[in-house]
Amino acid sequence: MKLTEVPKVDKITKEDFIAHYFKPQKPVVVSGAIEDWPAFAKWNLDYMKAVAGDKIVPLYDDRPVQHEDGFNEPHAKMKMREYIDLLKREPTRFRIFLWNVLKEVPELQKDYTYPDFGIKLMKKLPMLFFGGRDSYTFMHYDIDLGNIFHFHFEGEKECILFPQSETKYLYKVPYSLITHEEIDFSDPDYEKWPALKKAEGYRASLSHGDVLYMPEGYWHYMKYVTPGFSMSLRAIPRNPKNLAKAFYNILFMRYFDVFMRKIKGQKWIDEKNRKAILRTNRFNG
């Protein structure tokens, strides 16, 4: 894969952000943007354990999708304090995914504000993500193809990004938001996945307080180098094609996929994975 390092800037004006990153739809990492947030000084795993320790949290791992899995259905649950103890004790594949701050721990709202990057953010959808050392997400893009601001806290995180233009090289699974799950984007096997050699994307390393901007519909693979967590804020896509695709994903695609899993079972999942390989290799034949 041809990966360019995402540029990193120390703070940024909204005018510069709009001109150099939002309008051309290019990713950027901003440091120093949230140093005035109480969260910058307070938010770490111990603090989350203290304020949310009794909350039952949904956990996800990197097992392949099975036909009986519901849309974003967790693989396990446990109390937050037990989960954080696990993160600090040993490596684990369990991650927290799409945990709504407003709904679950309203007092955390006092620790952050909505930054002015020049575009309107969706204030009802601040989501938290947690992971242990070496845990990762499959390469995917978000169902709404939104503009994402990803704020990282504690530890180190690696991100690999691709614009939608590179989908033809990524072995996308039909009727889904993911690439083939057997691909290790940290160390891809180019003999098995030859089209990946043509993919052009970005790599970013995040530390405490960094903000990663991911443009509309960007594919992203996230790996926790050390235990940590992040919060995402988002804005709706502005490109009409992306907005139409978001409506298609939300109103039709996900329901059709769930329906077909019920009808065809694991055969549907296996068939989609085969098509991901056949279509990609045929296109790049």
Side-chain angles (χ1 to χ4, degrees):
M1 299 182 295
K2 303 169 186 176
L3 301 178
T4 301
E5 198 70 22
V6 174
K8 190 170 188 176
V9 299
D10 183 20
K11 301 182 180 178
I12 194 170
T13 65
K14 63 181 179 182
E15 291 79 13
D16 282 345
F17 170 75
I18 294 294
H20 299 299
Y21 302 105
F22 178 69
K23 285 186 176 178
Q25 288 288 279
K26 298 294 184 182
V28 64
V29 175
V30 184
S31 61
I34 63 170
E35 290 178 352
D36 60 339
W37 285 11
F40 182 76
K42 294 165 61 177
W43 282 20
N44 55 36
L45 291 173
D46 288 334
Y47 181 72
M48 290 296 166
K49 180 179 176 180
V51 299
D54 287 331
K55 292 287 183 179
I56 302 296
V57 294
L59 301 175
Y60 302 81
D61 58 26
D62 54 7
R63 72 188 69 179
V65 172
Q66 298 295 314
H67 73 278
E68 66 269 16
D69 294 339
F71 189 80
N72 285 343
E73 183 177 330
H75 299 132
K77 295 181 180 180
M78 67 175 64
K79 286 188 176 182
M80 176 66 91
R81 67 164 51 90
E82 296 169 350
Y83 175 64
I84 289 178
D85 286 343
L86 175 63
L87 292 185
K88 299 178 76 171
R89 184 174 65 247
E90 62 192 49
T92 176
R93 296 297 191 188
F94 280 133
R95 297 174 289 105
I96 296 178
F97 174 72
L98 289 176
W99 201 58
N100 191 310
V101 176
L102 291 176
K103 177 182 176 182
E104 302 294 343
V105 192
E107 66 185 273
L108 290 176
Q109 297 174 66
K110 296 180 290 187
D111 292 341
Y112 65 89
T113 58
Y114 293 90
D116 184 5
F117 288 112
I119 60 176
K120 187 176 181 180
L121 298 174
M122 300 172 69
K123 295 186 176 181
K124 293 185 178 180
L125 291 175
M127 296 292 181
L128 287 178
F129 305 79
F130 291 70
R133 177 161 63 90
D134 293 334
S135 65
Y136 62 88
T137 65
F138 293 120
M139 181 67 75
H140 69 285
Y141 66 92
D142 286 12
I143 194 168
D144 64 352
L145 284 84
N147 293 276
I148 304 170
F149 296 89
H150 198 67
F151 304 79
H152 189 61
F153 299 93
E154 186 157 332
E156 304 293 325
K157 195 176 199 178
E158 290 184 351
C159 313
I160 296 175
L161 314 175
F162 293 100
Q164 283 285 317
S165 61
E166 303 304 290
T167 298
K168 55 186 175 288
Y169 306 124
L170 299 181
Y171 298 90
K172 180 187 181 300
V173 177
Y175 300 107
S176 76
L177 308 171
I178 63 173
T179 62
H180 199 291
E181 295 162 307
E182 291 183 12
I183 300 173
D184 179 0
F185 278 89
S186 290
D187 185 23
D189 181 348
Y190 294 118
E191 293 295 322
K192 188 172 183 179
W193 314 105
L196 290 180
K197 290 185 288 185
K198 299 180 181 180
E200 297 185 14
Y202 299 88
R203 186 193 305 275
S205 297
L206 304 182
S207 300
H208 181 84
D210 286 342
V211 184
L212 170 63
Y213 167 63
M214 292 183 281
E216 297 181 10
Y218 259 51
W219 290 93
H220 45 285
Y221 163 92
M222 306 288 199
K223 183 174 183 178
Y224 293 85
V225 180
T226 61
F229 62 101
S230 308
M231 181 175 75
S232 282
L233 300 176
R234 64 203 310 110
I236 63 172
R238 305 299 177 89
N239 183 310
K241 289 184 179 180
N242 290 337
L243 192 58
K245 189 172 182 179
F247 280 115
Y248 166 80
N249 289 342
I250 295 168
L251 300 176
F252 173 75
M253 185 270 291
R254 67 174 174 176
Y255 293 109
F256 177 75
D257 185 57
V258 170
F259 174 75
M260 291 302 293
R261 291 187 197 189
K262 291 179 180 179
I263 297 299
K264 301 184 69 173
Q266 190 60 34
K267 289 182 179 180
W268 173 247
I269 302 295
D270 296 340
E271 180 182 324
K272 292 199 303 174
N273 285 329
R274 285 194 297 271
K275 286 183 177 180
I277 298 172
L278 290 172
R279 290 179 178 181
T280 303
N281 288 340
R282 186 183 304 124
F283 180 86
N284 294 282

